[in-house]
Amino acid sequence: MIRYGFACKTIGLPGAAQSSLTLARASRDNLLAVSRNNLGALEAMLRYCRSESLALMRISSDCIPLASHETIDFDWQAALRPELENLAALARQSGVRLSMHPGQYTVLNSPREDVVRKAVADLAYHAAFLDALQAGPECRIILHLGGGYGDKTSALQRLRDNLAALPDAILQRLALENDERIYTIEDVLAVCHDFKLPAIFDIFHHELNPPPHGDMQHWLDLAGATWNARSGRQKIHYSQQLAGGKAGMHSLTIAMRPFLQIHSLLEERELDVMLEVKDKNLSAIKCANLTQPDLPRKNLTEEWARYKYLVLERSPNAYAAIRQLLKSDCPAAEAFYALLEDALACDLEPGKAKNAAEHVWGYVSKKATPKESARMLADLELLGKDLAPLPRIKRKLLALAASEGEEYLLHSLYFYLN
Protein backbone atom coordinates (compact mmCIF):
# COMPACT_ATOMS: atom_id res chain seq x y z
CA MET A 1 0.00 0.00 0.00
CA ILE A 2 1.25 3.47 -0.89
CA ARG A 3 0.44 6.40 1.37
CA TYR A 4 0.65 10.04 0.31
CA GLY A 5 1.35 13.19 2.31
CA PHE A 6 2.13 16.88 2.00
CA ALA A 7 4.69 19.40 3.18
CA CYS A 8 4.44 22.20 5.72
CA LYS A 9 1.27 24.13 4.82
CA THR A 10 -2.36 23.59 3.93
CA ILE A 11 -4.64 25.38 1.51
CA GLY A 12 -8.26 26.04 2.39
CA LEU A 13 -7.99 25.03 6.05
CA PRO A 14 -9.16 27.74 8.48
CA GLY A 15 -6.92 28.17 11.51
CA ALA A 16 -3.83 26.64 9.91
CA ALA A 17 -2.00 29.78 8.78
CA GLN A 18 1.49 30.12 10.22
CA SER A 19 3.31 33.35 11.02
CA SER A 20 6.93 34.45 10.77
CA LEU A 21 9.05 36.82 12.81
CA THR A 22 12.02 39.00 11.89
CA LEU A 23 15.09 39.19 14.10
CA ALA A 24 14.42 42.88 14.75
CA ARG A 25 11.05 42.04 16.34
CA ALA A 26 12.17 38.94 18.23
CA SER A 27 11.26 39.95 21.77
CA ARG A 28 10.31 37.17 24.15
CA ASP A 29 6.65 38.15 24.00
CA ASN A 30 6.67 38.10 20.20
CA LEU A 31 8.55 34.80 20.07
CA LEU A 32 6.01 33.29 22.44
CA ALA A 33 2.99 34.69 20.56
CA VAL A 34 4.16 33.61 17.11
CA SER A 35 5.24 30.18 18.36
CA ARG A 36 1.84 29.61 20.00
CA ASN A 37 0.10 30.65 16.80
CA ASN A 38 2.23 28.24 14.78
CA LEU A 39 1.70 25.36 17.18
CA GLY A 40 -2.03 26.04 16.98
CA ALA A 41 -1.75 25.87 13.19
CA LEU A 42 0.12 22.58 13.52
CA GLU A 43 -2.67 21.25 15.71
CA ALA A 44 -5.22 22.19 13.03
CA MET A 45 -3.14 20.39 10.40
CA LEU A 46 -2.81 17.24 12.50
CA ARG A 47 -6.57 17.15 13.06
CA TYR A 48 -7.04 17.67 9.33
CA CYS A 49 -4.71 14.76 8.52
CA ARG A 50 -6.69 12.53 10.84
CA SER A 51 -10.04 13.56 9.37
CA GLU A 52 -8.79 13.12 5.78
CA SER A 53 -6.85 9.89 6.51
CA LEU A 54 -3.57 11.41 5.35
CA ALA A 55 -0.76 9.37 6.82
CA LEU A 56 2.25 11.67 6.58
CA MET A 57 3.03 15.35 6.91
CA ARG A 58 6.14 17.49 6.95
CA ILE A 59 6.33 20.09 9.70
CA SER A 60 7.54 23.57 8.81
CA SER A 61 10.99 24.38 10.14
CA ASP A 62 9.65 27.78 11.21
CA CYS A 63 7.19 26.50 13.82
CA ILE A 64 9.46 28.06 16.46
CA PRO A 65 10.81 31.17 14.72
CA LEU A 66 14.56 31.82 14.92
CA ALA A 67 14.92 28.85 17.25
CA SER A 68 18.49 28.07 16.19
CA HIS A 69 19.67 31.66 15.76
CA GLU A 70 22.80 32.21 17.82
CA THR A 71 21.62 35.55 19.24
CA ILE A 72 18.22 34.27 20.43
CA ASP A 73 17.86 33.07 24.01
CA PHE A 74 14.40 31.50 24.16
CA ASP A 75 13.75 28.26 26.04
CA TRP A 76 10.85 27.24 23.85
CA GLN A 77 10.64 23.70 25.27
CA ALA A 78 9.91 25.05 28.75
CA ALA A 79 7.75 27.99 27.70
CA LEU A 80 5.56 25.87 25.40
CA ARG A 81 5.50 22.57 27.29
CA PRO A 82 1.66 22.35 27.61
CA GLU A 83 1.18 23.02 23.89
CA LEU A 84 3.89 20.55 22.89
CA GLU A 85 2.50 17.82 25.13
CA ASN A 86 -0.95 18.34 23.64
CA LEU A 87 0.50 18.08 20.14
CA ALA A 88 2.42 14.93 21.08
CA ALA A 89 -0.78 13.27 22.25
CA LEU A 90 -2.64 14.36 19.10
CA ALA A 91 0.15 13.07 16.85
CA ARG A 92 -0.01 9.68 18.57
CA GLN A 93 -3.80 9.53 18.18
CA SER A 94 -3.70 10.53 14.52
CA GLY A 95 -0.92 8.10 13.60
CA VAL A 96 0.56 10.67 11.23
CA ARG A 97 4.19 10.09 10.32
CA LEU A 98 5.98 13.41 10.80
CA SER A 99 9.15 14.76 9.24
CA MET A 100 11.09 18.00 8.92
CA HIS A 101 13.32 19.31 6.14
CA PRO A 102 15.77 22.13 6.96
CA GLY A 103 16.24 24.78 4.32
CA GLN A 104 18.99 25.38 1.77
CA TYR A 105 21.29 27.14 4.24
CA THR A 106 21.63 24.12 6.52
CA VAL A 107 24.76 22.71 4.89
CA LEU A 108 26.98 20.27 6.77
CA ASN A 109 29.75 20.01 4.20
CA SER A 110 30.55 23.68 3.75
CA PRO A 111 34.27 24.58 3.90
CA ARG A 112 33.28 27.48 6.20
CA GLU A 113 33.28 26.61 9.88
CA ASP A 114 30.62 29.20 10.72
CA VAL A 115 28.20 27.69 8.16
CA VAL A 116 28.74 24.21 9.59
CA ARG A 117 28.31 25.48 13.15
CA LYS A 118 24.99 27.08 12.25
CA ALA A 119 23.91 23.93 10.39
CA VAL A 120 24.59 21.80 13.46
CA ALA A 121 22.61 24.24 15.63
CA ASP A 122 19.72 24.10 13.18
CA LEU A 123 19.73 20.30 13.11
CA ALA A 124 19.80 20.28 16.92
CA TYR A 125 16.64 22.40 16.93
CA HIS A 126 14.88 20.11 14.46
CA ALA A 127 15.80 17.02 16.49
CA ALA A 128 14.66 18.71 19.71
CA PHE A 129 11.35 19.67 18.13
CA LEU A 130 10.61 16.12 17.00
CA ASP A 131 11.67 14.88 20.44
CA ALA A 132 9.32 17.39 22.08
CA LEU A 133 6.49 15.86 20.02
CA GLN A 134 7.62 12.42 21.22
CA ALA A 135 7.95 11.39 17.58
CA GLY A 136 9.30 7.89 16.97
CA PRO A 137 12.48 7.05 15.02
CA GLU A 138 10.46 6.72 11.82
CA CYS A 139 9.98 10.52 11.95
CA ARG A 140 13.07 11.89 10.22
CA ILE A 141 14.94 15.10 9.45
CA ILE A 142 15.55 15.11 5.70
CA LEU A 143 18.90 16.55 4.61
CA HIS A 144 20.62 17.02 1.26
CA LEU A 145 24.33 16.22 1.08
CA GLY A 146 25.23 19.85 0.43
CA GLY A 147 27.41 21.68 -2.07
CA GLY A 148 30.10 20.39 -4.41
CA TYR A 149 32.46 23.35 -3.97
CA GLY A 150 34.40 22.39 -7.08
CA ASP A 151 35.65 19.15 -5.52
CA LYS A 152 33.00 16.52 -4.75
CA THR A 153 35.48 14.10 -3.23
CA SER A 154 36.65 16.62 -0.63
CA ALA A 155 33.09 17.86 -0.05
CA LEU A 156 31.90 14.31 0.65
CA GLN A 157 34.77 13.72 3.05
CA ARG A 158 33.87 16.91 4.95
CA LEU A 159 30.28 15.67 5.12
CA ARG A 160 31.41 12.32 6.55
CA ASP A 161 33.65 14.04 9.09
CA ASN A 162 30.88 16.35 10.22
CA LEU A 163 28.28 13.59 10.37
CA ALA A 164 30.66 11.55 12.53
CA ALA A 165 30.97 14.50 14.92
CA LEU A 166 27.22 14.93 15.39
CA PRO A 167 25.62 13.97 18.70
CA ASP A 168 23.76 10.68 18.39
CA ALA A 169 20.44 12.40 19.15
CA ILE A 170 20.82 14.32 15.87
CA LEU A 171 22.47 11.66 13.74
CA GLN A 172 19.80 9.06 14.49
CA ARG A 173 17.10 11.47 13.27
CA LEU A 174 18.62 12.00 9.82
CA ALA A 175 17.66 10.66 6.41
CA LEU A 176 19.71 11.78 3.38
CA GLU A 177 18.27 12.76 -0.01
CA ASN A 178 19.58 13.05 -3.57
CA ASP A 179 19.39 16.42 -5.30
CA GLU A 180 18.81 17.60 -8.86
CA ARG A 181 22.27 19.01 -9.62
CA ILE A 182 25.21 17.59 -7.64
CA TYR A 183 24.64 14.43 -5.62
CA THR A 184 22.89 11.43 -7.17
CA ILE A 185 21.11 8.68 -5.28
CA GLU A 186 24.32 6.64 -5.70
CA ASP A 187 26.26 9.30 -3.77
CA VAL A 188 23.57 9.36 -1.09
CA LEU A 189 23.58 5.59 -0.66
CA ALA A 190 27.34 5.50 -0.16
CA VAL A 191 27.09 7.95 2.76
CA CYS A 192 23.98 6.28 4.16
CA HIS A 193 25.70 2.90 4.24
CA ASP A 194 28.67 4.38 6.13
CA PHE A 195 26.42 5.80 8.85
CA LYS A 196 23.53 3.30 8.72
CA LEU A 197 21.08 6.04 7.74
CA PRO A 198 17.97 5.68 5.55
CA ALA A 199 18.04 7.18 2.06
CA ILE A 200 15.23 9.30 0.65
CA PHE A 201 14.86 8.59 -3.05
CA ASP A 202 13.54 11.72 -4.78
CA ILE A 203 12.09 10.62 -8.12
CA PHE A 204 12.03 14.10 -9.66
CA HIS A 205 15.62 14.83 -8.65
CA HIS A 206 16.64 11.43 -9.96
CA GLU A 207 15.11 12.17 -13.36
CA LEU A 208 17.18 15.35 -13.56
CA ASN A 209 20.37 13.92 -12.05
CA PRO A 210 20.58 10.14 -12.39
CA PRO A 211 23.67 7.99 -11.84
CA PRO A 212 25.26 6.76 -15.11
CA HIS A 213 23.87 3.24 -14.70
CA GLY A 214 20.77 1.47 -13.36
CA ASP A 215 17.10 2.30 -13.90
CA MET A 216 14.73 3.88 -11.42
CA GLN A 217 13.55 0.55 -10.03
CA HIS A 218 17.14 -0.48 -9.34
CA TRP A 219 17.89 2.63 -7.29
CA LEU A 220 14.50 2.52 -5.60
CA ASP A 221 15.29 -1.01 -4.42
CA LEU A 222 18.72 -0.03 -3.12
CA ALA A 223 17.25 2.96 -1.28
CA GLY A 224 14.53 0.71 0.13
CA ALA A 225 17.15 -1.59 1.65
CA THR A 226 18.36 1.26 3.88
CA TRP A 227 15.00 1.36 5.72
CA ASN A 228 14.31 -1.10 8.52
CA ALA A 229 12.00 -1.86 11.43
CA ARG A 230 13.37 1.08 13.39
CA SER A 231 13.32 3.74 10.67
CA GLY A 232 9.96 2.54 9.30
CA ARG A 233 8.47 2.15 5.84
CA GLN A 234 10.55 3.32 2.92
CA LYS A 235 9.91 6.98 2.23
CA ILE A 236 10.37 8.74 -1.10
CA HIS A 237 9.65 12.15 -2.59
CA TYR A 238 7.64 12.83 -5.72
CA SER A 239 7.02 16.04 -7.64
CA GLN A 240 6.51 17.26 -11.19
CA GLN A 241 8.12 20.00 -13.27
CA LEU A 242 6.53 23.45 -13.26
CA ALA A 243 5.45 24.19 -16.83
CA GLY A 244 7.65 26.95 -18.20
CA GLY A 245 9.73 27.07 -15.02
CA LYS A 246 13.43 26.47 -14.45
CA ALA A 247 14.36 22.78 -14.40
CA GLY A 248 13.70 21.42 -10.92
CA MET A 249 10.94 23.87 -9.98
CA HIS A 250 7.93 22.10 -8.48
CA SER A 251 4.57 22.26 -10.23
CA LEU A 252 1.52 24.03 -8.88
CA THR A 253 -0.42 20.76 -8.68
CA ILE A 254 0.13 17.06 -9.33
CA ALA A 255 -1.20 16.29 -12.81
CA MET A 256 -3.21 13.09 -12.86
CA ARG A 257 -1.89 11.25 -15.92
CA PRO A 258 1.87 11.37 -15.23
CA PHE A 259 1.15 10.66 -11.58
CA LEU A 260 -0.82 7.52 -12.41
CA GLN A 261 2.01 6.33 -14.65
CA ILE A 262 4.46 6.63 -11.75
CA HIS A 263 2.01 5.05 -9.33
CA SER A 264 1.64 2.03 -11.64
CA LEU A 265 5.40 1.48 -11.36
CA LEU A 266 5.29 1.69 -7.56
CA GLU A 267 1.99 0.14 -6.58
CA GLU A 268 3.34 -3.27 -5.58
CA ARG A 269 5.52 -1.66 -2.91
CA GLU A 270 4.84 -0.40 0.60
CA LEU A 271 5.88 3.22 0.43
CA ASP A 272 5.29 6.57 2.06
CA VAL A 273 5.37 9.25 -0.63
CA MET A 274 5.88 12.90 0.28
CA LEU A 275 4.47 15.12 -2.46
CA GLU A 276 6.45 18.31 -3.02
CA VAL A 277 3.97 20.54 -4.79
CA LYS A 278 2.61 24.05 -4.43
CA ASP A 279 -0.98 23.08 -3.66
CA LYS A 280 0.15 20.86 -0.74
CA ASN A 281 -2.75 18.98 0.87
CA LEU A 282 -4.98 19.31 -2.18
CA SER A 283 -2.72 17.14 -4.31
CA ALA A 284 -2.23 14.71 -1.39
CA ILE A 285 -5.99 14.11 -1.19
CA LYS A 286 -6.22 13.87 -4.97
CA CYS A 287 -3.46 11.25 -5.17
CA ALA A 288 -4.94 9.27 -2.29
CA ASN A 289 -8.38 9.28 -3.93
CA LEU A 290 -7.00 8.29 -7.34
CA THR A 291 -5.22 5.27 -5.91
CA GLN A 292 -7.69 4.03 -3.29
CA PRO A 293 -9.51 0.84 -4.29
CA ASP A 294 -13.30 1.07 -3.93
CA LEU A 295 -13.19 4.79 -3.22
CA PRO A 296 -16.23 5.82 -1.15
CA ARG A 297 -18.60 8.16 -2.96
CA LYS A 298 -18.36 10.64 -0.08
CA ASN A 299 -14.69 11.30 -0.89
CA LEU A 300 -15.61 12.77 -4.25
CA THR A 301 -18.67 14.61 -2.97
CA GLU A 302 -16.48 16.21 -0.28
CA GLU A 303 -13.94 17.17 -2.95
CA TRP A 304 -16.72 18.66 -5.05
CA ALA A 305 -17.93 20.76 -2.12
CA ARG A 306 -14.46 22.29 -1.87
CA TYR A 307 -13.97 22.90 -5.60
CA LYS A 308 -17.43 23.64 -7.00
CA TYR A 309 -17.35 27.46 -7.04
CA LEU A 310 -13.76 27.48 -8.30
CA VAL A 311 -14.91 25.26 -11.18
CA LEU A 312 -18.02 27.35 -11.80
CA GLU A 313 -16.03 30.56 -12.24
CA ARG A 314 -13.80 28.95 -14.89
CA SER A 315 -15.99 26.44 -16.72
CA PRO A 316 -19.77 26.22 -16.30
CA ASN A 317 -19.69 23.26 -18.73
CA ALA A 318 -17.30 21.31 -16.47
CA TYR A 319 -19.44 22.31 -13.49
CA ALA A 320 -22.48 20.74 -15.12
CA ALA A 321 -20.53 17.67 -16.23
CA ILE A 322 -19.17 16.99 -12.74
CA ARG A 323 -22.60 17.38 -11.20
CA GLN A 324 -23.91 14.85 -13.70
CA LEU A 325 -21.00 12.48 -13.04
CA LEU A 326 -21.66 12.51 -9.29
CA LYS A 327 -25.25 11.41 -9.89
CA SER A 328 -24.04 8.07 -11.27
CA ASP A 329 -23.96 4.95 -9.10
CA CYS A 330 -20.15 4.66 -9.00
CA PRO A 331 -18.50 7.91 -10.09
CA ALA A 332 -14.92 7.28 -11.17
CA ALA A 333 -12.17 9.32 -9.53
CA GLU A 334 -10.24 9.54 -12.79
CA ALA A 335 -13.24 10.99 -14.63
CA PHE A 336 -13.83 13.46 -11.79
CA TYR A 337 -10.25 14.71 -11.70
CA ALA A 338 -9.97 14.85 -15.48
CA LEU A 339 -12.92 17.25 -15.58
CA LEU A 340 -11.52 19.16 -12.61
CA GLU A 341 -8.10 19.59 -14.23
CA ASP A 342 -9.65 20.72 -17.50
CA ALA A 343 -11.76 23.31 -15.68
CA LEU A 344 -8.89 24.72 -13.63
CA ALA A 345 -6.78 25.05 -16.78
CA CYS A 346 -9.34 27.48 -18.24
CA ASP A 347 -8.62 31.20 -18.14
CA LEU A 348 -10.75 33.46 -15.99
CA GLU A 349 -13.32 35.49 -17.89
CA PRO A 350 -15.34 38.39 -16.45
CA GLY A 351 -18.79 37.00 -17.20
CA LYS A 352 -18.06 33.56 -15.74
CA ALA A 353 -16.36 35.10 -12.71
CA LYS A 354 -19.41 37.26 -12.11
CA ASN A 355 -21.73 34.25 -12.31
CA ALA A 356 -19.76 32.33 -9.66
CA ALA A 357 -19.45 35.36 -7.39
CA GLU A 358 -23.20 35.93 -7.57
CA HIS A 359 -23.80 32.31 -6.50
CA VAL A 360 -21.59 32.79 -3.43
CA TRP A 361 -23.10 36.21 -2.72
CA GLY A 362 -26.50 34.50 -2.57
CA TYR A 363 -25.31 32.57 0.50
CA VAL A 364 -24.11 35.58 2.49
CA SER A 365 -26.05 38.58 1.16
CA LYS A 366 -28.52 38.55 4.06
CA LYS A 367 -25.64 39.11 6.49
CA ALA A 368 -24.42 42.24 4.71
CA THR A 369 -25.27 45.78 5.78
CA PRO A 370 -27.06 48.03 3.25
CA LYS A 371 -23.75 49.79 2.59
CA GLU A 372 -21.95 46.49 2.03
CA SER A 373 -24.72 45.29 -0.27
CA ALA A 374 -24.56 48.44 -2.38
CA ARG A 375 -20.79 48.15 -2.74
CA MET A 376 -21.00 44.46 -3.59
CA LEU A 377 -23.68 44.94 -6.23
CA ALA A 378 -21.62 47.73 -7.80
CA ASP A 379 -18.51 45.54 -7.82
CA LEU A 380 -20.43 42.62 -9.31
CA GLU A 381 -21.64 44.88 -12.09
CA LEU A 382 -18.04 45.91 -12.80
CA LEU A 383 -16.94 42.28 -12.67
CA GLY A 384 -19.13 41.51 -15.65
CA LYS A 385 -16.74 43.60 -17.74
CA ASP A 386 -13.39 43.54 -15.92
CA LEU A 387 -11.66 41.11 -13.53
CA ALA A 388 -10.07 43.89 -11.47
CA PRO A 389 -12.71 43.89 -8.66
CA LEU A 390 -12.52 40.10 -8.18
CA PRO A 391 -9.90 39.99 -5.38
CA ARG A 392 -11.85 42.64 -3.43
CA ILE A 393 -15.12 40.78 -3.98
CA LYS A 394 -13.64 37.50 -2.73
CA ARG A 395 -12.16 39.15 0.37
CA LYS A 396 -15.55 40.60 1.27
CA LEU A 397 -17.42 37.38 0.59
CA LEU A 398 -14.95 35.46 2.77
CA ALA A 399 -15.26 38.02 5.56
CA LEU A 400 -19.04 37.72 5.50
CA ALA A 401 -18.83 33.92 5.54
CA ALA A 402 -16.42 34.06 8.50
CA SER A 403 -18.58 36.50 10.44
CA GLU A 404 -21.44 34.01 10.40
CA GLY A 405 -19.38 30.83 10.68
CA GLU A 406 -20.43 29.49 7.29
CA GLU A 407 -18.18 26.41 7.39
CA TYR A 408 -19.24 25.23 3.95
CA LEU A 409 -17.92 28.43 2.40
CA LEU A 410 -14.92 28.81 4.69
CA HIS A 411 -13.52 25.54 3.31
CA SER A 412 -14.28 26.47 -0.31
CA LEU A 413 -11.16 26.68 -2.46
CA TYR A 414 -12.86 29.49 -4.35
CA PHE A 415 -11.25 31.82 -1.82
CA TYR A 416 -7.80 30.29 -1.69
CA LEU A 417 -6.80 29.39 -5.26
CA ASN A 418 -6.49 31.91 -8.06
Side-chain angles (χ1 to χ4, degrees), residues 294-297 300 324-336:
D294 302 318
L295 182 72
R297 172 189 288 273
L300 292 183
Q324 188 62 36
L325 173 70
L326 294 177
K327 292 178 182 178
S328 63
D329 292 337
C330 298
E334 288 189 36
F336 174 85

Side-chain angles (χ1 to χ4, degrees), residues 276-381:
E276 296 185 316
V277 60
K278 300 296 184 183
D279 69 358
K280 307 293 182 181
N281 54 304
L282 305 184
S283 277
I285 292 175
K286 176 182 181 180
C287 291
N289 283 344
L290 282 167
T291 56
Q292 181 178 334
D294 302 318
L295 182 72
R297 172 189 288 273
K298 73 177 184 63
N299 288 44
L300 292 183
T301 57
E302 288 171 358
E303 281 281 79
W304 180 230
R306 289 186 280 257
Y307 279 102
K308 63 185 298 184
Y309 294 117
L310 194 64
V311 170
L312 182 61
E313 81 170 345
R314 290 178 179 271
S315 175
N317 289 338
Y319 179 89
I322 293 175
R323 290 187 66 187
Q324 188 62 36
L325 173 70
L326 294 177
K327 292 178 182 178
S328 63
D329 292 337
C330 298
E334 288 189 36
F336 174 85
Y337 284 109
L339 288 166
L340 183 60
E341 287 185 359
D342 288 347
L344 297 185
C346 294
D347 291 331
L348 277 172
E349 298 175 15
K352 294 175 183 177
K354 179 185 179 184
N355 178 44
E358 287 176 335
H359 273 74
V360 180
W361 170 240
Y363 270 95
V364 298
S365 59
K366 293 179 181 178
K367 283 108 176 163
T369 66
K371 184 177 180 180
E372 289 171 332
S373 292
R375 177 62 184 271
M376 179 61 69
L377 292 174
D379 276 345
L380 288 171
E381 188 64 28

Side-chain angles (χ1 to χ4, degrees), residues 93-111:
Q93 293 164 11
S94 65
V96 177
R97 185 181 190 180
L98 302 173
S99 63
M100 300 183 81
H101 195 338
Q104 60 181 325
Y105 300 112
T106 302
V107 182
L108 270 184
N109 74 338
S110 171

